[in-house]
Structures are given as C-alpha cells and as structure tokens.
Amino acid sequence: MSCAIMQPYLFPYLGYYQLVYSVGNFVFYDDVNFIKRGYINRNNILVNGRAQRFTIPVPGATQNEKINTFEFSSDVRKVLKTIQQSYKKAPYFQSVYVLIEEVLTSPNRSVPYICQLSIQKVFDYLGLDRNYFISSQLDYNREMSAADKLIAISKKLGCTLYVNSPGGIGLYQKDYFKERDIELSFIKMTAGEYAQSSNEFVPYLSMIDVLMWNSKEEVKQLLDQYELF
C-alpha cells in the first residue's frame, strides 16, 4: 500500500491532485503549524491571460498555531465574482462553478475541512474514489522529527511506500526511510499544456483553471501524466 501526506491546500495546482491520485491512502496533515503566504488559503487563476492570486482570509492566522485551529472568513463574494468573471466563457464553467461555490460557501469554515472539500469534490466530480485521512485523527507520536512522523503515519496506515512532493527532495533521504522499512519516492508532474481560450499557456495555476478548460476525461488524462522517482 502507498500513501502521501500533505498540508491541506485550497484548490491547489494539478500536481497536488496527482499526488492524491498516485497513492492508495492520502493524509491531510492538519496538525502542523499554519504556513502564512503559502498555499493553504490561496492560489492563482487566469485573469485576462495572466496569473492572478486569489486569497480566502484566515482571521488571526499565525505560524505559531496548528492549521486545524483556524477558520476561513465567510466573506467569499469577491473571490467568487472574480472566478465568475474570469471563466464565464470557459466550456465547463457551469458545472465547475457550482462545485467551487459549494466548497467556498460551506457552513463549516474549518480550514482543513474546506481544503479537503476542495480536493474531495473534484475527485467526486471526476468519478474517482480516493481514501482520505486526517492526521489529527490518527494516533502517532507528534514529538518526533519531521521524517519520523511521516514514517510513523505511513506505518499506521499499513503503507510500505511513501510518496512525497518534489519539495521534499532536499529534506528526506531514501536510505533513512528504507532503514525503517518504508520506500520513499517523489512525484514529478509531466502533464503538458492544455487550451486556455486564445491565451498563451500559463502553467501551475489552481486546479480551478484545469477544470474550467478541460472535459472530465481530459482532466483524468492530465492526472495520469506524472512520474515517480
């Protein structure tokens, strides 16, 4: 069995969804410190042919507290209006906008909950079942090193393969994991370009952009375009 563990992000880029797609068990790492100016509460969409940042405020957010202690602001009108204006002519706007609105206006404003919803609802939309877990609901030693916590969670879920995002290449060593009976691999996105209206292709945008311009089958094909190394 394989697993991956990542902080919960709000409608992240395609590579995050590929990480979820590539493993048998995916864990939302919600009992680690909040990252300000990261991707927990913001990302980029296409506005007039350029990448533009959208952000959902997290009142009182600080890097000294855990992600699962915070809630999103309930005022998402500006973000929804920007998405609507930017993508109203996109071929899959109608069905995708409903999904986005459902996620962003959820009565449960917990940051991990809404971020998880932004992942889960996309896979539901695509008709793909995934196994999700929440780290704060798992029993493991939270006083260990970063690598040992990942290993402990992996073993808790019966996994022998742990897949990490490319950002962990300089942090984690394959030999260290192997000595503890866990194989460590990293994922690399190989997905190519897709049509974004008549604009020059802008990469690494939120999954919102991918969904707006691609059919469900085309999105599934993009999800499959990755390598483990």
Side-chain angles (χ1 to χ4, degrees):
M1 179 66 75
S2 60
C3 67
I5 304 165
M6 274 288 290
Q7 293 93 336
Y9 289 175
L10 181 65
F11 285 113
Y13 85 121
L14 175 64
Y16 189 113
Y17 289 83
Q18 288 182 325
L19 182 62
V20 180
Y21 180 71
S22 70
V23 296
N25 294 322
F26 185 81
V27 181
F28 291 97
Y29 209 11
D30 71 331
D31 54 351
V32 292
N33 286 4
F34 188 89
I35 303 171
K36 296 189 73 172
R37 295 179 294 277
Y39 290 97
I40 293 173
N41 65 319
R42 62 181 188 169
N43 213 286
N44 295 299
I45 57 173
L46 192 68
V47 179
N48 297 323
R50 296 177 179 272
Q52 179 171 305
R53 182 69 50 81
F54 72 85
T55 302
I56 306 296
V58 180
T62 169
Q63 297 190 157
N64 298 321
E65 300 291 342
K66 300 295 188 287
I67 297 170
N68 59 14
T69 64
F70 296 113
E71 293 189 347
F72 281 116
S73 166
S74 59
D75 187 1
V76 296
R77 292 170 296 177
K78 183 178 179 181
V79 170
L80 286 173
K81 184 177 181 180
T82 300
I83 293 171
Q84 188 174 41
Q85 291 176 337
S86 301
Y87 291 105
K88 60 185 177 182
K89 294 183 179 179
Y92 302 97
F93 171 78
Q94 294 295 336
S95 55
V96 174
Y97 183 79
V98 170
L99 183 159
I100 296 166
E101 187 176 38
E102 180 183 358
V103 171
L104 296 186
T105 61
S106 169
N108 184 339
R109 304 311 295 168
S110 163
V111 168
Y113 178 82
I114 289 182
C115 289
Q116 177 182 352
L117 208 59
S118 78
I119 306 299
Q120 185 174 339
K121 286 294 183 181
V122 169
F123 281 102
D124 289 347
Y125 168 77
L126 298 173
L128 299 172
D129 293 328
R130 315 311 301 158
N131 292 325
Y132 308 103
F133 297 87
I134 312 295
S135 63
S136 60
Q137 297 175 1
L138 298 176
D139 181 19
Y140 70 99
N141 184 352
R142 291 168 173 80
E143 303 303 318
M144 296 187 292
S145 69
D148 286 326
K149 284 191 285 188
L150 300 180
I151 291 168
I153 293 173
S154 298
K155 289 186 175 182
K156 186 74 177 179
L157 299 178
C159 298
T160 55
L161 169 64
Y162 173 70
V163 181
N164 205 93
S165 67
I169 292 176
L171 299 175
Y172 306 122
Q173 303 299 317
K174 284 180 173 285
D175 288 346
Y176 188 85
F177 278 69
K178 187 175 182 179
E179 289 169 1
R180 289 152 182 82
D181 301 317
I182 299 290
E183 179 185 352
L184 171 62
S185 289
F186 296 94
I187 189 168
K188 177 182 178 181
M189 186 171 71
T190 61
E193 299 180 4
Y194 53 87
Q196 295 169 324
S197 186
S198 59
N199 300 307
E200 182 178 348
F201 182 70
V202 180
Y204 303 112
L205 299 177
S206 164
M207 190 66 166
I208 290 172
D209 190 77
V210 176
L211 295 170
M212 288 290 188
W213 297 112
N214 294 276
S215 68
K216 293 180 182 180
E217 288 306 313
E218 288 169 335
V219 175
K220 290 178 185 178
Q221 291 173 12
L222 289 169
L223 281 174
D224 262 324
Q225 295 176 27
Y226 67 86
E227 295 176 353
L228 295 181
F229 64 97

